[in-house]
Amino acid sequence: MGKCIFCGESAGFLRRAHKECQIKNDREQREREASKQLILSEIEVAGVSKRDLPLLKQKITKMAESHKIDSSILESLVICGWENLVERAFDDGILTEEEESNLTKLKEYFSLSEIQLDRRGVFTKMLKGSVLRDLMNGILPENEKIDRNLPFNFQKGEKAIWVFQDVDYYEQKKRIEYVGGSQGVSIRIAKGLYYRTGSFKGERVETEETIHADTGTLCVTNKHVYFSGVTKGFRIKHDKIVSLQLFSDGIGLQRDLATAKPQSFVTGDGWFIYNLITNATQL
Ligand SMILES: [Zn+2]
């Protein structure tokens, strides 16, 4: 005789569960999933409408209890709701001060740590939004998260705005090749030998090759863009940057020197570094 996995009573020969218990369990599970969605939307509504947070907590705790949602799952739902609120705040443009303050209140009320909120990088995303908003308002952002042990010598009055670690740095190299013709072949000068002009016409082909030059730390300050890797280290003054190219995972940068080769940096988040440099150079 098998025992029912739901109620523990005898379920009958070769049976694992009562049919009714299975149905009841399935229904409860569906209801639990539905109430998780409801909890999420309660958090999101509270986050945008500045609803009473003690009331929110009371409500979602009650919902969790009645659907057997344990406290660790409830906490992960609050985190998920907070993350959704950040994403939503970015959907309609820049993160506003009001949106940021609501997110901070929610974080503090539910005692959520930055580590918890940053497992999917969403806490950092909020900081990025805050930094960009300051820059767009002409304010030099105060970023206390910045590591003070940076491998750069800042000038007087220079302040780090953001530091990117493990940045892949690429340089573009121009290669010239001759295809066809006799370029490269040494021709003995001899009397009576005649080479037709066509022999000299190797076609000049220029190819741009992007090579991975280094990996290191990139820092944007109110004056420069710094990079420091294993073998390469340099800084570029803001007003020497003539163009920026936006990629999904980084930026391309062109300096004003005629000889300067395009440089690119992969930070993982092209949108942010592009806006960061664009606005930092306007300060
Ligand atoms: Zn049963």
Side-chain angles (χ1 to χ4, degrees), residues 4 6-7 18 21:
C4 174
F6 300 111
C7 68
H18 296 114
C21 288

Side-chain angles (χ1 to χ4, degrees), residues 7-279:
C7 68
E9 302 282 318
S10 158
F13 184 62
L14 287 182
R15 288 192 175 270
R16 294 175 61 247
H18 296 114
K19 201 177 173 202
E20 315 77 64
C21 288
Q22 182 70 58
I23 290 168
K24 182 170 170 264
N25 181 73
D26 290 351
R27 193 189 58 232
E28 281 174 0
Q29 204 149 3
R30 272 198 309 276
E31 286 172 357
R32 193 174 305 128
E33 289 313 310
S35 68
K36 281 185 189 173
Q37 288 308 314
L38 278 175
I39 289 172
L40 270 181
S41 56
E42 284 292 336
I43 297 161
E44 288 176 43
V45 169
V48 287
S49 65
K50 282 189 281 182
R51 220 197 272 164
D52 193 343
L53 292 179
L55 200 72
L56 170 72
K57 192 174 191 175
Q58 205 180 24
K59 200 168 175 182
I60 63 175
T61 308
K62 216 169 148 190
M63 285 164 85
E65 275 165 7
S66 61
H67 289 100
K68 295 180 195 152
I69 294 167
D70 68 39
S71 60
S72 70
I73 296 201
L74 182 60
E75 188 178 66
S76 67
L77 286 171
V78 179
I79 293 168
C80 191
W82 190 91
E83 292 172 336
N84 291 347
L85 279 164
V86 174
E87 299 299 343
R88 198 194 278 206
F90 276 85
D91 280 348
D92 59 9
I94 197 93
L95 175 78
T96 65
E97 267 179 72
E98 193 189 347
E99 284 166 335
E100 191 183 345
S101 122
N102 288 345
L103 286 162
T104 307
K105 277 181 203 150
L106 200 62
K107 170 188 180 290
E108 280 163 9
Y109 189 75
F110 286 93
S111 315
L112 303 171
S113 73
E114 288 172 13
I115 295 165
Q116 285 176 303
L117 297 177
D118 214 27
R119 290 213 178 107
R120 285 175 282 263
V122 184
F123 188 78
T124 301
K125 187 168 181 175
M126 187 185 77
L127 288 183
K128 287 174 175 176
S130 182
V131 162
L132 289 182
R133 186 187 61 235
D134 279 353
L135 286 175
M136 287 171 93
N137 291 331
I139 300 163
L140 183 56
E142 285 294 335
N143 189 346
E144 67 271 16
K145 294 273 180 300
I146 285 181
D147 180 9
R148 298 288 146 204
N149 301 309
L150 292 169
F152 310 115
N153 292 315
F154 291 151
Q155 290 178 348
K156 209 176 159 198
E158 185 168 27
K159 271 182 84 176
I161 301 172
W162 200 271
V163 177
F164 300 86
Q165 301 290 355
D166 300 319
V167 175
D168 282 323
Y169 165 53
Y170 293 86
E171 282 176 352
Q172 238 172 64
K173 290 256 155 54
K174 200 175 266 182
R175 275 220 326 227
I176 296 163
E177 287 172 301
Y178 290 86
V179 180
S182 57
Q183 174 72 33
V185 180
S186 69
I187 301 165
R188 193 166 62 92
I189 309 295
K191 206 179 171 191
L193 277 178
Y194 175 74
Y195 290 92
R196 284 186 287 165
T197 55
S199 313
F200 298 92
K201 282 185 185 159
E203 202 188 334
R204 189 170 183 272
V205 179
E206 277 183 19
T207 49
E208 295 280 10
E209 195 185 13
T210 305
I211 57 148
H212 177 240
D214 211 342
T215 298
T217 305
L218 186 147
C219 176
V220 178
T221 75
N222 53 336
K223 292 181 176 177
H224 298 93
V225 174
Y226 288 80
F227 178 80
S228 172
V230 182
T231 56
K232 307 258 177 182
F234 52 84
R235 73 170 178 210
I236 307 162
K237 213 169 170 215
H238 283 338
D239 61 9
K240 299 288 180 216
I241 301 169
V242 284
S243 72
L244 280 182
Q245 215 184 334
L246 173 62
F247 304 127
S248 64
D249 59 356
I251 48 151
L253 187 153
Q254 180 67 53
R255 295 200 224 190
D256 69 346
L257 297 166
T259 53
K261 299 274 183 284
Q263 297 165 297
S264 48
F265 303 92
V266 174
T267 56
D269 188 343
W271 156 85
F272 177 62
I273 188 166
Y274 183 85
N275 282 305
L276 180 68
I277 296 179
T278 307
N279 287 291

